[in-house]
Amino acid sequence: MFSFSDPSGGFEPLLTVCVGLLMVIDVTQERGLSHLDYKYLDGAPVCRFPLLNFLEPLPLDWMYLVYLVLFLGSLGIMLGCFYRLSCLMFISTYWYIFFLDKTAWNNHSYLYGLIGFQLTLMNGNRYWSLDGLRRPSIRNAHVPLWNYTLLRTQIFIVYFIAGIKKLDADWVEGYSMSYLAHHWLFDPFKAILPVELVNLLVVHGGGLVLDLTAGYLLFFDATRPYAFFFVSYFHCMNSQLFSIGMFSYTMLATSPLFCYPDWPRRFFSHFPSFLKPVLPLTTPELQPSTSCVYNERPAHSKLSKPRLKHKLAAIFTLLYIAEQFFLPYSHFITQGYNNWTNGLYGYSWDMMVHSRSHQHVKITYKDGKTGAIGYLNPGVFTHSRRWKDHGDMLKQYASCLSHLLPRYNVTDPEIYFDIWVSINERFQQRIFDPRVDIVKADWSPFRPNPWLMPLLVDLSPWRTKFQEIEGSLDNQTEIVFIADFPGLHLENFVSEDLGNTSIQVLQGQVNVEIVEEKKNYTLQTSETMKVPAGAYHKVYTVSEDPSCYMYVYVNTTEAALLENFTKLFELQERVRNGTETEPLPPELQPLIAPNDDDEAEVNATDPIVRLFLKRQRRMKEVKKRREAGLLERLERFAGKKYYTIRRGFLMTAIAMRNLAVGLPPLEQLTREVEFANMKGPQDEGNQKDLLKEEVGHGEL
């Protein structure tokens, strides 16, 4: 199977052009060239999470050089220029960056690295490449069939293993990605189905069926057109639903791999003749290649039987495919990386199977010499949030904090983490034992984590009851479901904004201690009590089995503010339509200013009126952006990308100058960085954050 030649040698080299282009774009985007200085600033006290603890980032200017090599390697792959060297440049720097930060791991970043590795071993510069212009001996030459076999199987594995992982009960029952059903992309389905069925049948059922069948449907001629339609629709939706960089477009680019290899020649042969000088070759004459073995000896070929390199290529293909099927199920070896989900996220193809929410994170340190206890802001000294879900990263984080805290007069610190997580809409519960000093805790990549708390899967059926309880609440009432282990307690502070907070026990028995009052109350199943706002309380689980309870609360401050906003809006409408007869007091005069008058917000003396006008302005901006035409959206998108890419290259140029001739005076360096930081008329990223902050995620 692996010894025959590809009779046309068309698409696999063309794939390198598409994938190379996407990798070039990805360097400045998801790989982070445009904000590299924020991540690897020299001398900053930052905790990092490499795969191997001895891996360290280079000094900042040298990191820019690493990214420059990565970019040039991607560009060389795209152009087919010094192809093998470009591939080596790409994979050496890419995997270094990949292993340098586990918190950035995801499935598509892992896939890019795999494809880069495969392209290094393949003949991706035989068609429409600069190497072909330089070396006529390889131009328009055959490509070995094992190249196609490897790439097709890799893409098949991405789909099929992702489908196998979606056979998980949480996915099948619709708990993994239930929030997606509310996205506007699913509005056409919601026109004929209730949102609950859209979630169950379209989001989860459709995703499961597509992943399980896409690889097979792409393989056969009769089903391939239908597969193209569904996978293209699927990836286009994903590009809007998730921030996954170039992954959707990469998968779209790999779909034609399953077509006959000569389809690019047939496709480009239909273009006008005056375009042919800049298009790939369409001539049917192909050169035989020493990389191929033929059933019949073609003209000018001296090969008639497999050589050692052909046999090694066949063996490598089989071993690589076997390894790729095995690796997603290798977690029984690397047990230290298993938490509630198996392994480090990225190489298992369990895409979107698990969603998490964090309700409570507390980091406690204890001075080993004086016994003094203090608390740290969650995420201090790090830019990442993934450490909260992975024991290996938590161990690295605790070790890093133990080295940094002595700078702040904390001797031999002990570090304790109390992290509450809900996975796939279950109870909020602890993921790690809060009584264990993680600095001294034992951890091995090959043994189960001894301080990992078990996931309370026996309580999963409660999720149906959660939906009933949440459905019975009004829009202002919120609820949090908690489960805790016997012998442990939750210490909680109720904000003064939450003026109506109560605890109701769903299962088990708890003792509630009001700290300031020094009083204790025992609650059994179905019993409820209010807890005071602006004060600490502790909830002890005293039953033999885990306790389950819920907080029910109303943000009274927010409710009062919204009520005032409603009254101000009604008053504003009455003034504008002439039905308000009473004169407005001075503090309400800004309400009658024109809609486009920004000074009204500035001149408002009443803080509630100022907030109301600010909210109105931002809601107007949201509406304007949502109703913008296609050209305006494209202009905004292109502008954002231009300034992002511009900053990455200007900062790289500054770094290369620093390496070549040394640092300039501080004033000059400051001016250069300010020039690189220049943005367009509207900074879309900051604008979106402001809008989300004021209007809320649901409005967007």
Side-chain angles (χ1 to χ4, degrees):
M1 175 180 178
F2 306 109
S3 60
F4 298 120
S5 75
D6 160 27
S8 65
F11 181 67
E12 189 262 327
L14 193 61
L15 174 69
T16 64
V17 178
C18 300
V19 173
L21 173 61
L22 294 172
M23 288 174 173
V24 165
I25 299 173
D26 184 71
V27 170
T28 61
Q29 304 292 309
E30 196 167 4
R31 293 318 116 209
L33 176 62
S34 60
H35 55 271
L36 196 62
D37 50 323
Y38 297 110
K39 190 172 184 179
Y40 295 113
L41 185 63
D42 293 338
V46 176
C47 294
R48 306 191 188 279
F49 305 90
L51 177 63
L52 304 172
N53 288 329
F54 65 81
L55 284 175
E56 293 284 345
L58 299 173
L60 179 60
D61 288 340
W62 288 97
M63 285 302 297
Y64 273 107
L65 179 60
V66 169
Y67 272 73
L68 179 61
V69 173
L70 176 67
F71 175 81
L72 293 176
S74 305
L75 189 64
I77 292 173
M78 182 185 77
L79 299 175
C81 182
F82 299 103
Y83 174 76
R84 206 74 64 188
L85 175 62
S86 296
C87 287
L88 291 174
M89 291 168 61
F90 176 81
I91 65 170
S92 59
T93 52
Y94 187 92
W95 284 103
Y96 167 68
I97 295 169
F98 187 77
F99 289 145
L100 202 57
D101 186 10
K102 289 182 293 188
T103 66
W105 283 24
N106 49 44
N107 289 283
H108 53 278
S109 296
Y110 173 60
L111 179 64
Y112 293 157
L114 293 180
I115 292 178
F117 169 70
Q118 293 172 33
L119 293 180
T120 306
L121 305 176
M122 296 178 179
N123 299 333
N125 59 342
R126 299 302 193 258
Y127 185 62
W128 208 28
S129 69
L130 294 182
D131 284 346
L133 296 177
R134 293 190 306 108
R135 299 167 56 193
S137 61
I138 68 169
R139 187 189 310 162
N140 217 24
H142 285 156
V143 175
L145 188 57
W146 70 267
N147 288 195
Y148 288 90
T149 302
L150 206 60
L151 287 168
R152 286 168 175 166
T153 307
Q154 183 69 73
I155 302 305
F156 173 84
I157 288 173
V158 173
Y159 284 117
F160 186 68
I161 299 297
I164 295 294
K165 294 300 180 75
K166 285 182 174 63
L167 292 174
D168 179 84
D170 284 357
W171 184 276
V172 174
E173 294 174 10
Y175 291 111
S176 296
M177 292 281 122
S178 59
Y179 66 90
L180 289 183
H182 299 279
H183 196 280
W184 63 267
L185 282 172
F186 295 95
D187 286 350
F189 300 101
K190 286 182 283 188
I192 56 175
L193 292 173
V195 67
E196 293 81 7
L197 288 181
V198 171
N199 169 55
L200 186 63
L201 300 180
V202 180
V203 175
H204 290 87
L208 171 63
V209 172
L210 186 137
D211 278 337
L212 283 175
T213 61
Y216 295 103
L217 297 177
L218 286 168
F219 190 79
F220 297 103
D221 293 347
T223 55
R224 191 174 300 121
Y226 305 102
F228 273 179
F229 171 79
F230 285 111
V231 299
S232 299
Y233 184 69
F234 175 73
H235 292 306
C236 288
M237 289 185 69
N238 283 345
S239 70
Q240 300 300 309
L241 290 170
F242 308 109
S243 299
I244 51 178
M246 297 292 107
F247 178 60
S248 300
Y249 310 107
T250 301
M251 294 302 292
L252 288 171
T254 59
S255 294
L257 266 174
F258 295 86
C259 298
Y260 289 101
D262 65 341
W263 78 262
R265 301 175 184 279
R266 291 185 280 110
F267 175 74
F268 288 115
S269 66
H270 297 294
F271 280 69
S273 57
F274 69 89
L275 292 176
K276 290 187 177 180
V278 296
L279 292 176
L281 294 173
T282 57
T283 174
E285 291 82 12
L286 304 173
Q287 293 193 71
S289 171
T290 58
S291 300
C292 300
V293 177
Y294 302 91
N295 282 332
E296 298 179 0
R297 183 181 302 179
H300 311 297
S301 175
K302 298 180 180 179
L303 292 179
S304 59
K305 61 181 181 179
R307 286 184 173 182
L308 177 61
K309 69 175 183 179
H310 304 122
K311 296 177 181 179
L312 290 177
I315 293 172
F316 166 77
T317 302
L318 291 172
L319 291 177
Y320 179 86
I321 291 173
E323 177 264 346
Q324 282 295 300
F325 273 107
F326 168 74
L327 199 58
Y329 300 97
S330 63
H331 308 301
F332 65 92
I333 299 175
T334 55
Q335 298 183 67
Y337 294 104
N338 297 341
N339 296 283
W340 289 348
T341 57
N342 287 330
L344 289 167
Y345 187 73
Y347 62 90
S348 300
W349 311 120
D350 51 351
M351 293 178 279
M352 307 301 173
V353 176
H354 304 103
S355 60
R356 297 176 176 87
S357 64
H358 299 81
Q359 185 69 28
H360 178 77
V361 179
K362 183 171 73 173
I363 306 176
T364 307
Y365 68 84
K366 180 179 179 182
D367 191 303
K369 184 177 181 180
T370 65
I373 293 176
Y375 303 94
L376 299 174
N377 287 330
V380 65
F381 301 124
T382 181
H383 302 300
S384 173
R385 296 178 292 178
R386 278 201 180 178
W387 55 268
K388 294 182 288 189
D389 298 309
H390 300 273
D392 59 300
M393 297 184 197
L394 197 72
K395 177 66 177 178
Q396 289 176 306
Y397 189 35
S399 299
C400 176
L401 291 176
S402 71
H403 289 96
L404 292 175
L405 288 180
R407 302 182 187 181
Y408 304 90
N409 300 320
V410 180
T411 306
D412 297 328
E414 302 173 7
I415 311 290
Y416 302 89
F417 294 89
D418 194 11
I419 302 172
W420 293 73
V421 187
S422 169
I423 186 169
N424 291 347
E425 302 185 16
R426 290 180 172 85
F427 280 101
Q428 290 279 341
Q429 66 155 97
R430 289 183 167 96
I431 185 171
F432 302 112
D433 194 330
R435 299 163 294 189
V436 175
D437 173 18
I438 306 300
V439 177
K440 299 181 178 65
D442 181 46
W443 182 85
S444 167
F446 305 110
R447 295 194 303 272
N449 187 344
W451 30 275
L452 174 72
M453 305 295 282
L455 178 63
L456 298 172
V457 292
D458 292 342
L459 301 177
S460 297
W462 273 95
R463 289 180 292 189
T464 304
K465 185 67 174 177
F466 293 169
Q467 296 173 352
E468 296 177 5
I469 295 174
E470 290 170 342
S472 65
L473 302 176
D474 57 45
N475 293 332
Q476 294 182 342
T477 304
E478 299 186 51
I479 195 165
V480 178
F481 299 97
I482 304 290
D484 202 5
F485 295 90
L488 297 179
H489 72 276
L490 168 64
E491 183 179 18
N492 203 2
F493 177 82
V494 178
S495 169
E496 294 181 353
D497 293 328
L498 309 181
N500 188 18
T501 302
S502 63
I503 297 175
Q504 179 177 341
V505 178
L506 302 174
Q507 177 178 301
Q509 181 178 338
V510 301
N511 283 348
V512 180
E513 175 189 355
I514 309 301
V515 177
E516 290 185 0
E517 299 177 4
K518 297 182 179 180
K519 292 182 179 180
N520 291 278
Y521 303 88
T522 300
L523 298 180
Q524 306 281 353
T525 301
S526 300
E527 293 184 342
T528 303
M529 70 166 287
K530 288 188 176 182
V531 290
Y536 280 95
H537 66 271
K538 297 179 181 179
V539 183
Y540 296 84
T541 297
V542 296
S543 53
E544 295 183 357
D545 297 321
S547 65
C548 305
Y549 52 95
M550 62 182 181
Y551 282 95
V552 182
Y553 60 95
V554 176
N555 190 326
T556 52
T557 302
E558 182 181 12
L561 186 62
L562 290 176
E563 183 179 356
N564 284 327
F565 283 172
T566 301
K567 292 179 180 178
L568 289 174
F569 178 76
E570 292 173 351
L571 175 61
Q572 188 181 56
E573 289 298 302
R574 291 198 302 271
V575 171
R576 288 177 177 173
N577 60 29
T579 58
E580 178 63 34
T581 57
E582 298 292 330
L584 294 183
E587 64 270 16
L588 298 181
Q589 287 294 324
L591 293 176
I592 62 176
N595 288 335
D596 54 354
D597 187 0
D598 294 333
E599 292 187 3
E601 178 184 327
V602 177
N603 296 331
T605 57
D606 189 285
I608 295 180
V609 173
R610 189 184 307 117
L611 280 174
F612 171 74
L613 294 174
K614 184 178 181 181
R615 181 173 183 266
Q616 276 198 319
R617 174 174 57 83
R618 291 184 173 173
M619 289 181 67
K620 180 182 176 182
E621 291 171 355
V622 170
K623 183 179 180 181
K624 180 181 178 181
R625 295 171 67 85
R626 293 185 65 177
E627 296 177 352
L630 179 60
L631 289 178
E632 184 179 345
R633 290 171 180 259
L634 288 175
E635 181 182 0
R636 193 165 59 225
F637 174 81
K640 177 185 176 182
K641 296 302 179 185
Y642 166 75
Y643 285 102
T644 299
I645 296 171
R646 174 185 179 274
R647 186 182 193 278
F649 284 117
L650 287 177
M651 293 298 292
T652 302
I654 294 171
M656 295 306 99
R657 188 275 319 278
N658 295 345
L659 292 176
V661 300
L663 285 169
L666 182 60
E667 294 79 7
Q668 178 184 341
L669 187 61
T670 301
R671 289 195 303 270
E672 292 173 347
V673 173
E674 287 178 350
F675 180 72
N677 288 336
M678 185 177 68
K679 301 184 184 300
Q682 286 187 337
D683 180 1
E684 184 175 11
N686 292 339
Q687 185 75 0
K688 281 187 177 180
D689 291 340
L690 290 172
L691 294 174
K692 288 181 181 180
E693 177 185 337
E694 181 65 22
V695 183
H697 182 70
E699 288 290 333
L700 295 173

